[in-house]
Structure formats: structure tokens, C-alpha cells
Amino acid sequence: MLLFFIVGLIIHLIFFASIFDIYFTSPLVHGMTPQHTRLPPPAKRLVLFVADGLRADTFFELDEHGLPRAPYLRNIIQTKGSWGVSHTRVPTESRPGHVALIAGFYEDVSAVAKGWKENPVEFDSVFNESTYTWSWGSPDILPMFAKGASGDHVFTHCYLAESEDFASEDAAKLDAWVFDHVKSFFRSAQSDQTLLHKLNDDKVVFFLHLLGLDTNGHAHRPGSREYKDNVKKVDEGVKEMVTLIEDFYGNDDKTAFVFTSDHGMTDWGSHGAGHPSETLTPLVAWGAGVHHPRESLFLDTLSNNEQKWNLMNLKRLDVNQADVAPLMSALIGIPYPLNSVGILPVEYINSSNLFKAESMLTNAFQILEQFKVKMAQKKLTTLSFLFSPFSSLSESKQLDIVRRVRSYIHGGNYKEAMDLCRTLIDLALEGLTYYHTYDRFFLGTSVVMGFAGWILYVILIIMKTNTSTIQTTSCYSGTPSQLVSYGFGALGLSMVFFLIIQSSPWTYYVYCLLPINIWYAASKELWILHQVRIYLMTVSPFGILGFLIIVIMGVEILVVSFFYRWVLTVGLVAFAFWPVVMKLWIEAKITTVSWVLLSLLLAVFPLMPVVGREPNITLVTCAGLLALLVSLASLVWLWKKRDSCVKRRDFKVHVCQMISLAVSIYVVGTTHWSLAAKQGLPLLNQIISWAILTFSLVVPLLSATFLFQRLLSLFLSFMSSYLLLSTGYEAFFPVALSCLMFVWIFIEQETLVNQGLSFKQKTEGL
């Protein structure tokens, strides 16, 4: 049985890993030619401000006094620049957001395995294509854009990682560090002729990464005074930086400015998912080459919240986050990042229509290059008679669209040319997705077949070893026929040959050959289905139908509960009256009443909010005290029941675990008090928490192997760790669930006793 468990665990880990090969493969391709517009750009340099973790609504809305939280940038929106909302994609984390903004593509999820910090693959970026880039900010963000840059032209200035303290009184000091060092940098340039020469070059980028808002949002939440005050400090810092840079360059009107954010944040201070508060970020652009404010013609299309921004009269230009990269590239005339999938938002650009049309055509060529390389790579690794090209964008259609665009530009029909470029970009992006997911159906089918075979095999083994209805017949040899064995062997060899020709990675061999082995193992046990058919012939058809209906309904409830949590409440309420329906209450009234009450109590939890509530440490403390009370009652019961099954050493183990639980309650309370007082997380609490976690994993192995004692030990260990991770009502959940599981065991034992059967008092193995 242990071997069966290990094999099952390995199979599930392999199929879990397949998710990354099927859905989260890298979108990057290499071998493209850089593309940029030949016409002179409107700006010589660009300044990018990224306020990490800034929500669009917090930035745009007015405060409680009817005043803007960012008065300088509000004035820019109203008098000098263009504005809109940048729509981010999941995962809304700092690294993927910055990659989308600066490199123009949406991050490969495999980067999460490296903490979003290291580069799993090298990629091109706006910084890499610039003549020089100077950046200031977090050590988590800046190095990844310098690491893959060609040459020595991307310079980073980072504060220490220890400065990013989420428990600090006010993290706005991180932004002050950036602003102070930028000022020092430009002061030093006055006396450094080499640096001054570089700064006066064309195609220069300055990047200011402002982490204070993200840190304050995590520590104090976006609705806090600290977060909102930080918005004002960022606004003041941006104003100071703009004045400093424009004065340094003699107000030559050749500097473009972009202010945005990598992601937003929920009301409870988290990000990473797809809630609008996380995916909607502000975008403000002004300066050289950027369009001035224009009047809006669609006042009635805004939501109530957006109307509160009091910007209805100004034209709003929304973009996807990856569109910011081609916008910055076009403004300073550098090649678009090679792997960018962003579409140039031409409405932001204030230049000639010829420049806009040529920039859009360059954007189309840059994305079309990726499409061609991706198609060539996939064609090279696919059998010619199996290769299915993307029919919507054939080579002849590409040439036809490009010819028509050139014709429109030469004829001065710039709008038609830009519309046709947009069509070409959309088709190329659709084709990129097509080739990127080309193997998804094949791999998905293989994995589904593997899971189906494993489920069938597990069911057959369970029926064989744990039911009295299956009897091994004397004529059964336990091995499949030679024809079946040869058939599976031939299938495996054919699959290997197919994968070799396709030049598939080694992981594909695992995903495709494992299902064949699983189904071969299942074929050895198919004789059990014959036994099941014989048994079912003795059962009432209505009984079989009723059983199938219950199973199907149970599965459907579990599936629907993924989308509607309250469905679990319905299922638990129905489950609460199971002993009554089965007439167990006649023989075990107290146990039945306990079952009903605990089931109804458990049914309350799916109706509670998942996240977004204020922490309530009082509830956590009460849950811990309740767990201690339950444990104490259990120990008293064991003491009164004291016999050969209960030894003194067992009591010592349980008492130690109760002490650990009490310490967990203390740690939760003191940690909350310390954070509320803005004194940080006490070092002693950190040490104790890690010690409790380690202690909780090991101690259950020292408890007695008798059923009740082992379960009590597991409950105490789990509860100690769970309390450290709780912030409110959820701390009661393991108490209610554990009590219900204990009652379940009592019901099973009483049922076996009433049927004249024995039950195991001692667990097997560890």
C-alpha cells in the first residue's frame, strides 16, 4: 500500500508539472530583426515614473474635501498631457507589470519559480534599445532590466533590500530616497564632463521606480492615511523631478514624461489576482511628442465611480499595459522591443500623421516578425503532413496588406493606413497565440487520458482490496493476454518515434508515455468489472439509480462550489440530516445530535467573506481557547479511561502540544499589537513561530498510534500552526471540522458494533 501511495504521488506531481508545459510556456521567440521608424522622433529623452501598487481610483478620485490627491499631475492632465487607464493582466505582481511596461510582453508565469526576480530567459526592453538608461529604485526590479542588456549602457542605483520593511511606520521614505538620489545625480553631472556628454545624447531614458505606495498598501492598506499621504508625496516628488530635469536641459521641450503603475491593490492590501482594483492603473503622459488635453464626447459611458474622478470633460485614452512600451519607443525613436506585443496608442502622440502612420507600420512589422519566426519554429518541429498553418494570415495576405498600407501612406490616406496596420497587428497577434498554443490539445489529451486511466485503476484496486463483493476467480491468472501486451508495447514505441521526429522536449515523453503505462496496469484489473456486473445484477435497479444520482449530485455540488461558495452550505445542510434519514438516531441520539449541530455550524463558513475584512484577533484568541478547552476535555476523558492503551508518556506529549497551542495564541496577540503600534515584527515571535511550525510537524509522530490519541495529536499540531496564519473567524474552522470528523468516526464505530463487526482501535504504520 505504501508503494501504491508513492506511485500515486509521483503521478500527480508529474501531471501537475504538465500545467506549466501546456498553459504557461514562455511566449518569447528569438531571431527577429529590430524595427524602428526612420522619421525623426519628437523627443530626445524620456522619463518614466512607476508608482508601484498605485490604484487608478485612488489616484484619480478627489479626497474628502473635494481636492485632488495629486494636484500637480491633475494639472498636467487638465492642461498639458493625455491620460487614461492602463489595463494590466494577471498575475498582478511587480515583475510581470514592469516587464509589460518596459519590454512590452506579458510575463511567462514560470518566472514565479524564481520569485519574479531572476530572468528565466533574456528579453529585449526599451532600456536595452536606448542609448543610455539611468534607473533608481528597488533592488527587486532594476537589476533584471540591466542583466540582459547588451553593452554597458543601463545603470542602476538601488537602496538596500532591508529598507523594504512592510512593518515600518511610513514607507514613503523609499520614494524620498529615489528623489534625493536623482537630485544628487544631476548635481554631480555639472562637474562630470563624461556624464554630461552622455546625458545630452539622444534616446536617453530615466526610470524612477517608486515602491513606497506598494509597501504602505501592504502594511496599512490602500484606504489608510499612510497610503493616501504617500500619493501626495509622490506627486510632489514628480513635480520636483520634472522641474529639475527641464531646468537641467534648458527647457528645450525635448523631454517626454510617462507616469503609471505596475499594478493596483485590493482594499485589504493584496495583489496578484484579477480584481479591477488590481488591474486598473493610472497612465499620464506629457511633454515632447505627447498630445495636449482634448474634450471628451462620451460623457454618458462612464461608471458612477469614474464620474467621481471629475474628469468627464477630458478625453480618456485607455490602453493595455504592454502598449506603453511601443509608446515610449516611438516618442524617442528607438526600435520597439523585439518581443513586444503592445499596440502603439497613436492617440497619445502629437506629431504629423505621416509619423503616426509610419510608426504604426513599424509596429506591425515588429509583431509580424515574431509571427514569422514562431511559425518557422513550429513548422520545423512538426511533420509536414501534420502541420496546419494559420490560415487567416497567409504570406500572400501579408504582402497584400503591406502593399495597400504603403499605397495609402503615399497617397496621404493616413487614417486608412493606420486602420489597416491595426488589422495586420491583430491578425499577427492571433497567429502568435495560435502557434504558441499549437501543442496544447495534444498534450492536454494525453494528460486527460493519464488521469482517466489512473482514476479507473484506483477505483479497481479499491474495489478489489476493500469490498467483499469482488472475489478472485480461480481461472483468473492476473496477467493480460500477449496480444494486449504487444499492443501497448507497439503504441509506446510509436509514440517515442513520433516524439523523436517532432524534436519534442524530454517532458513530452513523460506526459505521453506515462498514460500508456497506467492504462496497461489498469488492463490487468479489468476482470473486476466483470465481477461488478455480476454483483449489480443482484441489486435493485432503483438502488443503483439512486446511488448514481447521489454521486452525480455530490460531484456537481463540488464543481459548482468553485464558482459559488454558498453551494457548499446547501450540501452541508443536506448532509447534516444524513443520520436521521438512515435512522441512526434511534440507536445513537447524542451522536446524531452532535453530528447535526456540527454540520450546521460548518455550513456557516462558506457564507462568510473570503478576504477583505478587518483583522479580528479576539476571534483568533477565542478559537485558540476553545481548542484548548476541547483538548483539555479530551485529556480528562482519556485520564478517566486510563488503561493499558493510555500511557503516561502519551499524556506528556499532549500536554506539550497544548502548551504549544497556548504559545501560538500569545504570539498572534503580541504580533498584532506590535504591528498596530508600528514597531515591526518582534524577532522573538519569528523564532517562536518557526519553532512551532517545526514542532507541529514532528510531534504527532511521537504520539500513541491508537486512533483517538493520534487524531487528538494531529488536531493540536494543526491548530497550533493554523492559528499563526489566522486573522479572524477562520480560526474556528479547524475546530468545527475536527469535532465533526471525530463524530463521524464514532458513528462508523457504533454502526459496526450494531452490525456485529469489529473495528480497528489502532492505526497502521506511523
Side-chain angles (χ1 to χ4, degrees), residues 53 292 496:
H292 288 76
V496 170

Side-chain angles (χ1 to χ4, degrees), residues 296-309:
S296 175
L297 302 177
F298 304 98
L299 302 182
D300 57 343
T301 60
L302 300 177
S303 66
N304 292 332
N305 289 333
E306 292 167 344
Q307 290 179 12
K308 294 179 182 178
W309 298 353

Side-chain angles (χ1 to χ4, degrees), residues 617-666:
I617 303 304
T618 303
L619 289 178
V620 180
T621 303
C622 291
L625 294 175
L626 178 60
L628 280 175
L629 184 62
V630 171
S631 304
L632 182 61
S634 301
L635 281 185
V636 171
W637 180 77
L638 282 174
W639 182 263
K640 291 181 178 179
K641 183 180 176 291
R642 192 166 71 252
D643 53 24
S644 59
C645 296
V646 185
K647 300 178 181 179
R648 186 176 297 275
R649 185 180 70 88
D650 302 332
F651 282 103
K652 292 180 180 179
V653 172
H654 293 316
V655 170
C656 288
Q657 289 182 295
M658 291 176 66
I659 294 173
S660 173
L661 181 58
V663 172
S664 296
I665 298 173
Y666 167 80

Side-chain angles (χ1 to χ4, degrees), residues 275-330:
H275 191 274
S277 61
E278 300 168 85
T279 60
L280 302 183
T281 60
L283 175 62
V284 183
W286 70 100
V290 180
H291 222 295
H292 288 76
R294 283 158 288 179
E295 185 177 351
S296 175
L297 302 177
F298 304 98
L299 302 182
D300 57 343
T301 60
L302 300 177
S303 66
N304 292 332
N305 289 333
E306 292 167 344
Q307 290 179 12
K308 294 179 182 178
W309 298 353
N310 199 26
L311 293 169
M312 292 90 71
N313 60 317
L314 298 175
K315 188 173 184 179
R316 169 177 158 180
L317 307 172
D318 285 10
V319 300
N320 291 321
Q321 193 171 51
D323 299 343
V324 178
L327 172 63
M328 294 190 294
S329 299

Side-chain angles (χ1 to χ4, degrees), residues 25-29 105-109 339 370 374 432 436:
T25 52
S26 174
L28 301 186
V29 290
F105 71 92
Y106 297 102
E107 180 71 299
D108 170 20
V109 182
N339 286 107
Q370 296 180 69
K374 193 76 172 179
L432 267 176
H436 183 61

